[in-house]
Amino acid sequence: MEASATMAVAGAALAACLGRKATASAKHVVALKAFESELGVQAPVGFWDPVGFTSDGDVSTFKRRRSVELKHGRISMMAAMGYITPEITGKLPGFLSPSAGLKFADIPNGLAAVSKVPVAGWAQIAAYFGFVEFSGGFEDYKTGTPGDYGFKVLTSSDPEEKTKKLSAELANGRLAMMAIIGMFFQDGLTGSAWGDWANYTASPLRAFESELGVQAPVGFWDPVGFTSDGDVSTFKRRRSVELKHGRISMMAAMGYITPEITGKLPGFLSPSAGLKFADIPNGLAAVSKVPVAGWAQIAAYFGFVEFSGGFEDYKTGTPGDYGFKVLTSSDPEEKTKKLSAELANGRLAMMAIIGMFFQDGLTGSAWGDWANYTASPLRAFESELGVQAPVGFWDPVGFTSDGDVSTFKRRRSVELKHGRISMMAAMGYITPEITGKLPGFLSPSAGLKFADIPNGLAAVSKVPVAGWAQIAAYFGFVEFSGGFEDYKTGTPGDYGFKVLTSSDPEEKTKKLSAELANGRLAMMAIIGMFFQDGLSGSAWGDWANYTASPLRAFESELGVQAPVGFWDPVGFTSDGDVSTFKRRRSVELKHGRISMMAAMGYITPEITGKLPGFLSPSAGLKFADIPNGLAAVSKVPVAGWAQIAAYFGFVEFSGGFEDYKTGTPGDYGFKVLTSSDPEEKTKKLSAELANGRLAMMAIIGMFFQDGLTGSAWGDWANYTASPLRAFESELGVQAPVGFWDPVGFTSDGDVSTFKRRRSVELKHGRISMMAAMGYITPEITGKLPGFLSPSSGLKFADIPNGLAAVSKVPVAGWAQIAAYFGFVEFSGGFEDYKTGTPGDYGFKVLTSSDPEEKTKKLSAELANGRLAMMAIIGMFFQDGLTGSAWGDWANYTASPLRAFESELGVQAPVGFWDPVGFTSDGDVSTFKRRRSVELKHGRISMMAAMGYITPEITGKLPGFLSPSAGLKFADIPNGLAAVSKVPVAGWAQIAAYFGFVEFSGGFEDYKTGTPGDYGFKVLTSSDPEEKTKKLSAELANGRLAMMAIIGMFFQDGLTGSAWGDWANYTASPLRAFESELGVQAPVGFWDPVGFTSDGDVATFKRRRSVELKHGRISMMAAMGYITPEITGKLPGFLSPSAGLKFADIPNGLAAVSKVPVAGWAQIAAYFGFVEFSGGFEDYKTGTPGDYGFKVLTSSDPEEKTKKLSAELANGRLAMMAIIGMFFQDGLTGSAWGDWANYTASPLRAFESELGVQPPVGFWDPVGFTADGNADVFARRRQTEIKHGRISMLATMGYMTPEITGKFPGYLSPSLGLKFADVPNGLAAISKVPVLGWAQILAYMGFCEVSKPQSPGTPGATGDFGWKVLTSTDPEEKKKKLASELANGRLAMVAIMGMLFQDGVTGSAWGGLALNTASAWRAFESELGVQPPVGFWDPVGFTADGNADVFARRRQTEIKHGRISMLATMGYMTPEITGKFPGYLSPSLGLKFADVPNGLAAISKVPVLGWAQILAYMGFCEVSKPQSPGTPGAAGDFGWKVLTSTDPEEKKKKLASELANGRLAMVAIMGMLFQDGVTGSAWGGLALNTASAWRAFESELGVQPPVGFWDPVGFTADGNADVFARRRQTEIKHGRISMLATMGYMTPEITGKFPGYLSPSLGLKFADVPNGLAAISKVPVLGWAQILAYMGFCEVSKPQSPGTPGAAGDFGWKVLTSTDPEEKKKKLASELANGRLAMVAIMGMLFQDGVTGSAWGGLALNTASAWR
């Protein structure tokens, strides 16, 4: 029954086949009959067309093919005879190429001759072919008999005879074509085109003649030459693989066929998923329907079959025989027969399944009639250009899958053009090799001959720019001349040039189709030529000729496998270094292993499910809780990562880092992966290498897809929640990328924001396209003729190309550029993207009135703009680096970067890297020193980075960090928080270790050896090359660590931890402000100074409001700087009354003194109006900065926030800009421009002086050198060095005792004072005995006077001959002193900070929290304690800690502040608003207008006015009880405008008033001082020409910074003679005071004179007390002597005004000088010292009178009546 059924099925199938064949025959009968009488139709075959070329019945096509067949036959007959003749007749005598010395006898017969015939020989052959082909024309078959060119030997004048001859020739040609194919095949297979196979015993094919699969009629079949090496083992393995692949293919082919014939299985494929067999489509469509578990079963079965027989079954038995006797047999012969049959069937199935897959992918079904697939988008293009048999329509990458005919035609047109270029390029490679190069010059001007241009890629750098310009211009001409849309209105590629096309549409299509096919071939050819040229140095020739190629060194290395061979696409082995290659190969194997594990780690949980149980029991974390893929990164606990890292480390370290040197890379002795057999080991490692490469690609793809879609596989259609979905149809979404947003700007899914950014991107792209073309065009076309700026005499030719042009283009040029940018930006409005298509401003050249075309054009422009943005960045980078945006780096020989190309740290791929230009001066010594420093910093950073990481992973050390302090390692927090916890001794140890490492190698180690090599051979090596390699690796790691530690510090400071998820830091005060105004990507909330650290939202909003206002002012200020420079100043008068024009006002800071007071008043009034009009608390009731002016904000809350945020960002930028402008203006006299222009700047005089160091250059922030006096500068520089030395000593004096402890023993044995008794810091001042201070002063004096320090001498610049600090080498000396100067500056800042902190907290370091005894602690919560100062008591009023006294003083301070605020406003208001009208005192006839402003008013206000003022002050004072503790005591008198009923608000207002009052107290003192000095509380002294002081500006004692100084008004009458007398008197008084001061101090320090003051009275010097008490002890005669000496000094020299004596010069040249200028300097110095002594002696007399001693504590004077 079964047999009958089978027979029936077979018969039905046969009948179907026969029926189909009969139908086909019938269908073609007509076409065949058309050709029955044509040439070549001969008995017994008749008409012969086995491939069906004539199936369409086209006679013309038939004739053309017949003509081609005749030609091919002729060539084949010649080729066949060429094989046979030399074998029979022998070769020709003589030389084939006399020039090459090549004989005919040297040319082997057959295929081997191909590589021996010289190029010229092939050229002759090709030329002859071409002659034969072209001489008869291309269409000879149309006008006559195919193949008949009139040569009657071959044909005949008799038509019948001609037909017979041509038919005979046709038959012979067919035979010859078969013959030559057979000859080629046999020659390639055996080495000869004929002869007995038995003769070729050496053929490697002989080894396999009896193997499985060798069957008639083919015999042994190896078309790709896998057995060409004759390796039997490899053959058997491949045969085994072939059998398995065949079996899979047979199952696959049957799987395609069976469901179609028998139907699908009943029931469910997956009951759990409710998936029936009937639901699974047939073919490729089933791939996405079969559930994962189904694929897992398939894979498992494959694995079972694969593994069950072992991997090496072919070695021990017959390949493919696993003992399953249905397929094989116990009879060896039968088994071989079955396996051979199976092998043949498997080969057929492999071909079949490939065809099925191809047809299924192409048409949607593995069989059936193409005519059935009417819905296929491929149908739309069946009649298009380029659709040719036998392939038909060909679109392997699916460009036409959308069925868009227009797009297809455009791409076809592009393909034709690319093909044409490729044909030209391919011919350009070939022609010079055959015909030689053109004679003469390519570029006469450059002296460049055609013969000098190498062939191939090497020509790229040799062709001059103008040559490339011509090529590009020709390309552009061809491209533009036909228009961009030629494919729409005609046939793609047809530009009317009828040689290439034709006026006959059919012929034109045929020609273009032929050209298209040739172009495709040329595109493949040129790619191959480029590849081979880049790889071997020539586009053809024998690889064996390239013996010098570095690739040759690695041909036998691990991983060199067929078919690719050695593969190094990025050129890592281009240097031919075998050791480096092996190291990289080892690394590649390891990376591949990690990638294989990673790829399997992605796949396995999806298939098998996750592990049961807990990943971390302590954390309660199950394996099931860990998501698959990238999402797992943040879920795996730190300990898990630690285990992974530890395993990586174990694998990495266990084999050593140099395993590749002593063995096979990747072989660690684990024989499962390798083998004890070297050959097997290489094979396994090679296989692993290939798998690892695949895994590396796979894991990268998985990461990419996972990051993009949330899963490493699956259908994109499933990710409906992705924000990327919102933009799939937007502008710029183009194949093949689709929607592209690599930085996640659209991750919030906001369409409006997307459109705005897309619009911005288009604009940036347009600018970049213009910029890129602006770089390129002048290089190609040259610059414009004529002048860029006629007024400046600046020609276009004077402007350099690239970045160098920035400083050359005049300001007006930049203004035009900016104006054009602004016009383009503003003309379309800022919100064009909302109401239309982004980037469409109606200019239809760029867009179109057709919406689809517009989108297409804008998308193309967007893509081009992206490319241009990348291009311009690259051009800027290269221009900045090399001085040109293109060209060969080898041309930049003058670049200072060249000096360092072989130095340590110059590593691929970056090369030499100096982004901040430290080596721009080309100084090798400096470079090496910096490289050494970089290595050290990198080492510290590596230790620091590991110090962050290690405690997190391994936990902290057990035990105590400081046993004495009871401080455990576990008590030290990780990160920045540890800084304040580590004890001083710990820091001392760290610093000592740093110092040891720093000092032990010397400071100049880089000079005598390799930077960073201190002889520790673990880090370096005794092998110089290895040492450089290790240090370079360390340098790279150190750079990474420096970046890492900065990032860790930043994140730690911001979030409290150097890593972890920001979501974990819920307690951070920054969280409170994440949705506030100004929180914008990419920074988010930004508060670098921690203003919001208290989390107070109200305070934040107030500060945000203030920031907006400051930003607005700064934007106005910045524009105010820029606008007059660009547009010019306003016409007319700024102040008509003052005759002051706008043009008279200079730009920048210089304008401050020129704007009249009324102008400033208007500015201030406008500021006040803006400030007050919105109220002071606008931020409480609305959005900060929103005053209802809707141009800046909006009625739409979202839009308002967006605008204010944008304004905030712009304001921040403006604040930075205006600060920079002020700084540059103050420094150079202009807010911009080139420093080189400021030749008159006094700073220029000092550019080469000591201490002028990068990056600051010359630094004089207080303007000491403003007068340009070099001598004064040298003296000040010398002083700065000394002060710096003192400060360095002082700083170290603060620090050393804290770290090392104090000296043992006694500081003063006589006083019993130990070093340990002297406190550290300011408290030591009163403990050091007088003699100690005397020693300090004596040493300072010795240093000061021991070396001449006149300007010009070495001592004037700090060089006192001590060569440790300086050097005998002038350059080295300058370097050391400059270094000392910088350190001294730092020390001066440090000691001031230490003194300040010590005075404030009682210690120069440490937290205020540690100083619990400080009197300041009692007042930390009082009124007026505000950040950033906190509690502020500079004069120590609260030193006694009495809170009641503090409250009284605070109340007094508030009142004084109020009075000062009133006084300050009283000064300013009349100047701005004018005075009151009417009378101040009618009875006295005194008008307000009569009362002058300022101090001069004091004597004008009548007594009654003062009485009113005093009465009001008294009323305020007594009207409110002010006892300590009452509200009045804190300044609250019940007037709620100033305070508030809300206690917190009241405190805030009073604190604000307190701060303003402090400012006013300082302001009023300054106003009173300036008023008293100049006669006005503001304005330049230059305005007060009537001041009596003007008469004395050049007198003795007028010195900066005070200038003329007369605090008590001695010169108020302006009498110069009286002034001279008083000046002389001041000098004398100063001299007396200096003597008196020294008289007080000297006995205290040196002791008193020995012996008697008065022998007659028995009065010893020792009996005379020091100070005031001496007055009554000195005898009368002593006073008489003193007075007599004073009188002598007074009267011995005439001192009339105008004489030398009147100026203090009594001829004693020690104090003065014979040089008038020097004399003046000395007397001026003496005058200043005398003034100081007068103040000092008054203080001493006062303190002596009060306490009984001129110094010391009152506590020492126990006998004082004051006690």
Side-chain angles (χ1 to χ4, degrees), residues 859-870:
S859 292
E861 183 189 32
L862 183 65
N864 291 337
R866 286 169 174 167
L867 179 62
M869 284 188 272
M870 296 302 289

Side-chain angles (χ1 to χ4, degrees), residues 152 281 541 582 769 982 1098 1126 1190 1205 1240 1321 1343 1693 1747:
K152 299 307 177 188
K582 286 193 171 181
M769 285 189 282
V982 174
I1126 296 171
K1190 298 305 174 189
S1205 292
C1343 290
K1693 188 82 175 174
T1747 69

